[in-house]
Amino acid sequence: MSAIRVIKDQCIGCGLCVKACPYGAISMKDKLAEIDLHKCTLCGACVEVCPVNAIVLSVKRKSVEGLEDYKGVWIFAEQKDGEIQPVIYELLGVGQRLAKARGTELSAVLIGDGVEEKTKELFQRGADKVYLVEHPNLVHYLDEPYSRILTKLVRQYKPEIVLTGATSVGRSLIPRAAVELNTGLTADCTGLEIDPETGHLLQTRPAFGGNIMATIRCENSRPQMATVRHKVMQEASVDPQRTEGEVIKVDVSEADVASRTSILEVVKEVEETVNLTEADVIVSGGRGLKGPENFEIIRELAKVLDGAVGASRAAVDAGWVSYSHQVGQTGKTVKPKIYIAVGISGAIQHLVGMSSSDVIIAINKNPDAPIFKVADYGLVGDLFEVVPALTKRFKEILKK
């Protein structure tokens, strides 16, 4: 908890704090500074400019008693239609490393119906223990029952760290649980480490549009919770011999699985090529395509290469292609073997989502485009000439 106050006897009414406050939370009353606590965000800008130290910002630490009772690393094993989602294998990979650093167990939480067979996959990928929750009402993800069940499990077993994928499900589930558990949550992490001195989880994520990397610690509450973007961590390797482990079957009541909402129909998205986040080759188009009709040349090249179609935010915002194809900070993070950026200038928000690709090929008529700074190969030219020529040549080589 934090608090801010003005020491009236020291304030000289200079007004510097009024000018410095970015939120308009300070005004002058009777020639003294007065802070509107409803507007104040405790940023500290006023404290820095006050020439007489009349503004005091204090931080009160929460009690940290009982933190030692929390042990273990948990992964929420998201499943869809009974299949473990690929990002979970990445979480199990980083989870093994974190568990080893803390000298504890790695566990997975699997919620669904008829998914017990999938526990073998989790054991093969490094899980020591699986908390299995099955019920017909849990066959599809629903906010209320899933978060209610996860929260109850955390309160009962007290894991030190809880991780989930930064998917639509993970982003919906984990904030609800964090609020109920009164703990911190770091979203869209790209790096996770254990502080060797304190044992706290160091959670790294892009901030300010990807211009800086922020490392966040949750020092005074447990569990430490984070969502992790797909394709930024190394997958856990498969051990075919490791098919068994401890399965803890959790019984749930009708109240546990109750929900104010229900699923009427599940509409599956049909990919034009292959799944964007799983593709080895991605061909992405940007503003340089000039219109939605020109995305056809992107699709043709992607199909020839058995790849997926991606897009920049500018192309998505213009309505040329659906959001499901967007690559970048506000879209999907991808890590293909080959990423071909066509007519994309290379804004930092886009680079955040694709810069970890093995090979980056840029096609742009502007030789000074930022995309060329991160590209392994660059083609400066008219994309409407270059891309069809590449498609034709690949068809000849691949005999398609």
Side-chain angles (χ1 to χ4, degrees):
M1 295 290 291
S2 300
I4 192 167
R5 64 188 180 93
V6 177
I7 303 176
K8 300 295 185 181
D9 293 339
Q10 289 182 215
C11 180
I12 60 176
C14 65
L16 290 177
C17 55
V18 177
K19 297 178 181 179
C21 181
Y23 302 100
I26 304 178
S27 60
M28 301 302 295
K29 185 176 181 180
D30 298 330
K31 296 184 179 181
L32 294 175
E34 187 173 86
I35 301 174
D36 184 343
L37 297 180
H38 294 290
K39 294 181 180 179
C40 179
T41 64
L42 304 172
C43 69
C46 55
V47 177
E48 295 177 6
V49 301
C50 182
V52 293
N53 299 320
I55 303 178
V56 179
L57 176 63
S58 60
V59 178
K60 299 178 182 179
R61 295 290 186 183
K62 290 172 57 180
S63 171
V64 296
E65 294 181 3
L67 294 192
E68 65 278 0
D69 296 334
Y70 289 79
K71 300 182 187 302
V73 178
W74 279 20
I75 308 298
F76 171 68
E78 179 184 340
Q79 58 84 20
K80 187 175 182 180
D81 296 331
E83 297 296 326
I84 304 297
Q85 295 303 285
V87 67
I88 304 308
Y89 303 138
E90 296 179 35
L91 295 179
L92 288 168
V94 69
Q96 288 182 62
R97 179 163 50 79
L98 298 177
K100 183 178 181 180
R102 294 296 293 152
T104 189
E105 289 183 321
L106 173 64
S107 303
V109 178
L110 181 59
I111 303 176
D113 188 44
V115 293
E116 184 174 356
E117 186 67 22
K118 296 300 176 179
T119 59
K120 294 181 180 179
E121 292 183 21
L122 299 173
F123 292 135
Q124 288 179 331
R125 297 278 187 161
D128 300 306
K129 188 182 297 182
V130 175
Y131 294 88
L132 178 64
V133 185
E134 292 188 299
H135 191 280
N137 289 10
L138 301 173
V139 64
H140 296 298
Y141 172 76
L142 285 169
D143 295 328
E144 290 177 278
Y146 270 61
S147 60
R148 186 183 298 122
I149 291 167
L150 180 61
T151 300
K152 289 180 68 174
L153 287 174
V154 169
R155 284 177 173 156
Q156 180 178 354
Y157 294 100
K158 298 184 182 301
E160 182 180 14
I161 296 169
V162 178
L163 306 176
T164 187
T167 61
S168 57
V169 168
R171 287 168 172 163
S172 171
L173 168 71
I174 214 72
R176 294 170 179 269
V179 169
E180 288 296 322
L181 295 165
N182 194 30
T183 190
L185 167 65
T186 304
D188 289 349
C189 291
T190 57
L192 295 171
E193 301 289 342
I194 297 294
D195 187 328
E197 295 183 2
T198 65
H200 295 310
L201 179 65
L202 302 178
Q203 305 157 86
T204 302
R205 71 177 304 276
F208 293 102
N211 291 308
I212 66 169
M213 300 299 288
T215 299
I216 300 167
R217 291 182 295 181
C218 181
E219 298 180 345
N220 303 304
S221 59
R222 291 292 183 271
Q224 302 161 99
M225 307 182 85
T227 65
V228 180
R229 281 204 164 201
H230 191 19
K231 293 290 185 180
V232 297
M233 304 287 185
Q234 191 71 31
E235 278 193 9
S237 58
V238 179
D239 183 355
Q241 305 302 317
R242 199 175 187 275
T243 58
E244 294 183 0
E246 184 180 359
V247 178
I248 300 176
K249 295 184 178 181
V250 180
D251 294 326
V252 291
S253 65
E254 291 302 316
D256 291 329
V257 300
S259 176
R260 290 172 293 178
T261 60
S262 60
I263 296 176
L264 299 180
E265 182 183 5
V266 176
V267 180
K268 295 183 179 180
E269 182 179 6
V270 179
E271 295 283 351
E272 297 173 337
T273 48
V274 298
N275 188 295
L276 185 63
T277 56
E278 299 303 312
D280 288 332
V281 178
I282 295 176
V283 184
S284 282
R287 196 192 304 274
L289 286 167
K290 299 181 180 180
E293 67 281 357
N294 294 322
F295 252 87
E296 189 57 36
I297 66 173
I298 299 295
R299 296 186 182 96
E300 289 180 4
L301 179 57
K303 288 178 181 178
V304 170
L305 298 175
D306 294 327
V309 174
S312 69
R313 178 173 178 174
V316 172
D317 287 348
W320 298 350
V321 66
S322 67
Y323 171 74
S324 62
H325 294 279
Q326 184 174 320
V327 175
Q329 185 179 19
T330 53
K332 295 179 180 177
T333 301
V334 297
K335 191 180 179 182
K337 294 179 180 178
I338 299 175
Y339 188 87
I340 304 176
V342 181
I344 296 175
S345 62
I348 185 66
Q349 290 83 358
H350 186 78
L351 300 183
V352 167
M354 46 68 72
S355 57
S356 59
S357 304
D358 292 346
V359 177
I360 299 173
I361 301 171
I363 302 172
N364 202 298
K365 67 179 181 180
N366 179 10
D368 298 320
I371 191 70
F372 287 121
K373 294 180 180 180
V374 299
D376 298 287
Y377 301 96
L379 294 172
V380 179
D382 187 343
L383 68 87
F384 296 103
E385 296 178 1
V386 175
V387 177
L390 284 175
T391 303
K392 180 180 179 181
R393 183 57 179 152
F394 279 126
K395 284 182 178 179
E396 294 172 354
I397 296 173
L398 301 174
K399 297 180 180 179
K400 290 189 175 182

